[in-house]
Amino acid sequence: ESVFTRPRVAFLLTLACVVTLLFFWVIKGFLLALLLGAIMAALLHPFYTRVASWLGGREGLGSAVTVALSLVLVVIPLLLFMGVLVGQAIDTAEAASAWVSEHSDELTRQIEADPDYQRLLPYEAEINEKAGELAGKVGGFVARELASFVQATAGFLLLLFVMLYAMFYFLIDGRAILDATLRYTPLTDDDKARLLGTFTSVSRATLKGTLVIGIVQGGLAGLAFWVAGIGGAVF
């Protein structure tokens, strides 16, 4: 009789599969946050090591300081930027509505003063109606997007908390977790070290490259809008 056909072993394997699937179902919404927490912990681990040594080897305090600094230097400026973005979006919507209203009156005056434009007089009411609809659609679009943004912000803050929470423990126990995971692979110690080193370097290069490219593109576009006198450059 095969070992896998024994009732006890079959039951334990089935129970393990069910528990694993349930566990995955519970955390599937947080997988990205957990992955980002692991990546951030890997990138900041050298800094965490130095901080922990400065604090007399207190790993918990060193991890808390590292997470707090990453929050202050990265997350809070990002949230402030998003606040500026929302403010400029509202200003842009209001300016668009005011522009449509202003030019609607100007168009009416031009139609009344110019014989060539007077052919549009029969359509004046329709033109004003369409202009009002356009302003309403612009304002409605921004309002809907802001509502979606507020809803997404609550989810973002939850994922941010999960990421920082996971990052705290990954900084402390990440190496032990990796060693325990890689213990079940047939790789040599040299292969394991090379694999981890490559993963860390590629992740660091990808994040830095994306960040630098985003800053350059956004900075040049915002500068061009500012020089050209376009309002709401951030938006």
Side-chain angles (χ1 to χ4, degrees):
E1 183 182 13
S2 174
V3 68
F4 295 105
T5 60
R6 296 175 183 173
R8 180 172 178 274
V9 175
F11 172 77
L12 290 176
L13 288 176
T14 303
L15 181 62
C17 291
V18 171
V19 171
T20 302
L21 290 175
L22 289 176
F23 177 72
F24 177 78
W25 179 77
V26 170
I27 69 168
K28 65 179 181 179
F30 305 104
L31 288 178
L32 180 59
L34 295 174
L35 177 61
L36 289 176
I39 293 175
M40 291 293 294
L43 297 179
L44 296 176
H45 195 269
F47 177 76
Y48 153 74
T49 303
R50 288 195 294 269
V51 171
S53 65
W54 294 338
L55 297 174
R58 287 177 284 186
E59 297 180 346
L61 183 58
S63 181
V65 170
T66 303
V67 172
L69 287 177
S70 65
L71 180 66
V72 172
L73 297 178
V74 177
V75 178
I76 291 180
L78 179 61
L79 294 177
L80 293 176
F81 174 81
M82 293 170 68
V84 174
L85 179 64
V86 172
Q88 290 198 1
I90 296 174
D91 294 341
T92 301
E94 294 176 349
S97 299
W99 184 89
V100 171
S101 177
E102 176 185 351
H103 283 73
S104 175
D105 297 336
E106 182 180 348
L107 177 60
T108 301
R109 290 194 298 268
Q110 290 181 355
I111 290 176
E112 294 174 349
D114 194 320
D116 293 330
Y117 287 163
Q118 288 180 1
R119 291 175 298 176
L120 299 176
L121 281 176
Y123 309 102
E124 179 181 359
E126 185 177 354
I127 291 174
N128 290 332
E129 180 183 356
K130 295 299 181 182
E133 289 180 1
L134 176 61
K137 288 181 179 179
V138 171
F141 170 77
V142 174
R144 288 192 302 272
E145 292 301 315
L146 289 179
S148 300
F149 174 79
V150 171
Q151 293 176 355
T153 300
F156 168 78
L157 292 176
L158 175 61
L159 293 178
L160 175 63
F161 171 78
V162 172
M163 186 195 77
L164 295 175
Y165 187 82
M167 181 180 164
F168 174 84
Y169 286 101
F170 280 139
L171 285 171
I172 299 174
D173 301 320
R175 186 69 199 188
I177 295 173
L178 280 175
D179 291 339
T181 303
L182 294 176
R183 192 177 301 126
Y184 297 98
T185 64
L187 301 176
T188 64
D189 292 340
D190 184 61
D191 291 335
K192 294 176 183 178
R194 190 178 304 160
L195 176 65
L196 294 177
T198 302
F199 174 78
T200 303
S201 62
V202 170
S203 299
R204 183 182 292 112
T206 301
L207 290 178
K208 287 183 177 179
T210 302
L211 180 63
V212 170
I213 291 173
I215 291 176
V216 171
Q217 289 180 335
L220 289 177
L223 180 62
F225 290 155
W226 178 73
V227 171
I230 298 177
V234 174
F235 175 69

